[in-house]
Structures are given as structure tokens and as C-alpha cells.
Amino acid sequence: THQIHWLQNSDYVIVLKDQQIQHQGTYKELIDIGVDFGPLAAETNKNEEENEEKQKKTKNKKQQQNQEITKKGENDDENEEKNKSKSFKLESQTSQGELITKESRKTGLIALKIWKTYGAALGVRVFIFLCFLYFISQALQISSGFWLSIWSTASGDESEYYLTVYSLISLSALFIIYFSTLTNALAAIRAARRVHESVVWKVLRSPVSFFDTTPLGRILNRVSQDQQTIDVQMPVTTHQLLDCFSILIG
């Protein structure tokens, strides 16, 4: 320790100077051999005064920082009040319908424009090919019924021939149904991907005014709930439409 007043209570004292041991022993032994602790005491007092000055400076600096933080907090409160007032004005404008555009919900039949857009996403060639497959499937089903009516009026000697033809017609219809269903599913996946990419492309390239007048939840609904409808319901709807149309033609 550098506290001189504690030396007389110490069991053993070591005096250092210039990083070397000058004296060592008990406090009484050092006093008896004439070791002067006066310069050390003066240096210790000087160090204590310097430490006190440093502590005062540190304390003053902390007080200044606290004052600055307090002023900054007051300014932040003022800014927050201003932001709240702006937000309130914005909400009032929203409630009056001056800023946020009101979303309209259409009911009833789906517009022809929507079907054209989905048909373009499917692809004209793919749609024509799907119609062809469904017509072939319906034709084979009608042919199987027609062949059964012929078989019922034929003699029993030719049963093997009629059975073979009926089996070929049924297997062909089964293959066409499977292939048309698979084609419809793959085409629906590609159409859904095209629609999603188109929506994302338009959203990312929209002007800032679009995001100011359109709530974020409305945008998320377009690429989540509405996209799910295209992914799940549209393939089923397309299948039912083509199936009913082919039955009607048949």
C-alpha cells in the first residue's frame, strides 16, 4: 500500500524505489535504521491530491453528460409529441378517406377479364391441348357405353372379341383421364407461378405513392390468401369446367 499511516500496523514493510527494493523489514526495524518515510508521504499526498482533482473533473464531466442527456430527452419528447400530432393528422386523413384508398369487394360472377388473365397464364396452347384431352376422354367413355350396347345384342360366340375391344377402350380412357389430370396440375402450377411473379414484379416496381395509399396488409393478402386461391381452387375449377363442357358436347 501507499498509505503511510497504515505502515505501523503492518507486519512487514518493503520500500521500493526505481523498481528496486531499497529496504525491508518491520516498521520498527526500518525506523531504527533511520529510514525516512517523509518523501514517500509527500509523494503520497501529491498523488492523493491529483486523484481528488481527477475525481472532481470526472464528476463534473458526468454532470455535464447528465445535463446533455436530460436536454436530449426533452428534445426527444418534443419530437415525439410532434410525431404523434403528425400521426394523428394522418389517421384523421385516413378516416376521412383522403389518403388511403378504400378497397372494393366484388361479388357475383367472375369477370371475363379474370378468366382471360388466368388463361394467358396457363398458355393458349396448353389450354387447347387440355380441351382436346378432355374431349378424347369423354369420347372414349361414350364409346365404351356404345360398345356395351352392341355387345349385348351380339351372339355369345364372339364374347372374347367384344371383351378385348371393351378392355382396350376402357384402358385408353383411363390413360387419357390420368394424362389430362396430370397435365392440368402441371399447367396450374406454372400458371400460379407466373401470376405470383407478375404480382411481385409490379409491387416491387410500384411508386412510393402506391405504398402510401395502400395498407401493407392488403398487399400481403394479394400474395398470400389470393395466391392460395389460385394455387388450390383454380386447378379444381378448371378441371370441373373442362369436364362439364366435354360432357355437354358429348
Side-chain angles (χ1 to χ4, degrees):
T1 179
H2 295 289
Q3 304 297 326
I4 305 302
H5 57 277
W6 296 112
L7 293 179
Q8 58 184 353
N9 298 326
S10 302
D11 296 331
Y12 197 78
V13 180
I14 298 176
V15 181
L16 299 175
K17 186 177 182 181
D18 297 331
Q19 299 181 356
Q20 294 182 356
I21 298 176
Q22 297 291 328
H23 306 283
Q24 58 181 338
T26 63
Y27 178 76
K28 185 177 180 182
E29 291 175 352
L30 296 179
I31 293 297
D32 292 341
I33 63 176
V35 176
D36 187 12
F37 292 102
L40 182 60
E43 185 179 355
T44 303
N45 293 331
K46 183 179 179 181
N47 292 332
E48 289 179 354
E49 290 177 358
E50 291 178 355
N51 290 331
E52 289 179 358
E53 290 180 359
K54 289 181 179 179
Q55 290 178 358
K56 288 181 180 179
K57 291 181 179 179
T58 304
K59 186 176 180 181
N60 293 332
K61 189 176 181 180
K62 288 183 178 179
Q63 289 178 353
Q64 293 178 356
Q65 290 178 351
N66 291 333
Q67 291 177 358
E68 292 177 357
I69 292 173
T70 302
K71 290 181 180 179
K72 185 178 180 181
E74 292 177 354
N75 294 331
D76 291 341
D77 292 338
E78 292 178 358
N79 293 331
E80 185 177 357
E81 291 295 331
K82 292 180 180 179
N83 292 332
K84 285 183 179 179
S85 63
K86 290 181 180 179
S87 177
F88 177 76
K89 291 180 181 179
L90 183 62
E91 289 178 357
S92 63
Q93 290 179 353
T94 302
S95 62
Q96 296 174 1
E98 297 178 359
L99 182 62
I100 304 299
T101 57
K102 189 174 182 180
E103 184 179 14
S104 60
R105 184 181 181 88
K106 294 184 179 181
T107 57
L109 297 176
I110 299 176
L112 182 61
K113 181 180 178 181
I114 305 299
W115 284 109
K116 288 182 179 179
T117 303
Y118 186 73
L122 276 176
V124 179
R125 294 180 181 179
V126 175
F127 184 74
I128 294 175
F129 183 64
L130 277 174
C131 293
F132 174 76
L133 291 177
Y134 276 88
F135 290 152
I136 294 298
S137 173
Q138 186 63 31
L140 289 173
Q141 294 180 39
I142 294 174
S143 298
S144 65
F146 179 72
W147 189 254
L148 279 177
S149 64
I150 296 176
W151 187 5
S152 62
T153 58
S155 61
D157 297 336
E158 298 178 349
S159 297
E160 185 177 353
Y161 166 71
Y162 286 103
L163 179 61
T164 302
V165 174
Y166 179 77
S167 299
L168 290 175
I169 295 174
S170 299
L171 290 175
S172 299
L174 181 63
F175 174 76
I176 294 297
I177 292 173
Y178 169 77
F179 189 65
S180 61
T181 304
L182 179 62
T183 304
N184 180 38
L186 295 177
I189 292 174
R190 188 178 69 168
R193 185 183 294 111
R194 287 180 174 178
V195 172
H196 181 266
E197 290 176 353
S198 176
V199 171
V200 173
W201 189 89
K202 291 180 179 179
V203 169
L204 292 179
R205 288 161 179 79
S206 298
V208 178
S209 59
F210 171 76
F211 298 97
D212 291 336
T213 58
T214 306
L216 182 60
R218 190 182 300 174
I219 299 175
L220 293 177
N221 283 336
R222 298 294 84 79
V223 295
S224 59
Q225 184 177 358
D226 292 353
Q227 185 65 38
Q228 183 183 9
T229 302
I230 297 176
D231 294 341
V232 178
Q233 296 183 8
M234 288 305 296
V236 179
T237 303
T238 305
H239 168 73
Q240 293 176 349
L241 174 65
L242 293 177
D243 192 31
C244 293
F245 186 65
S246 62
I247 292 175
L248 180 63
I249 296 299

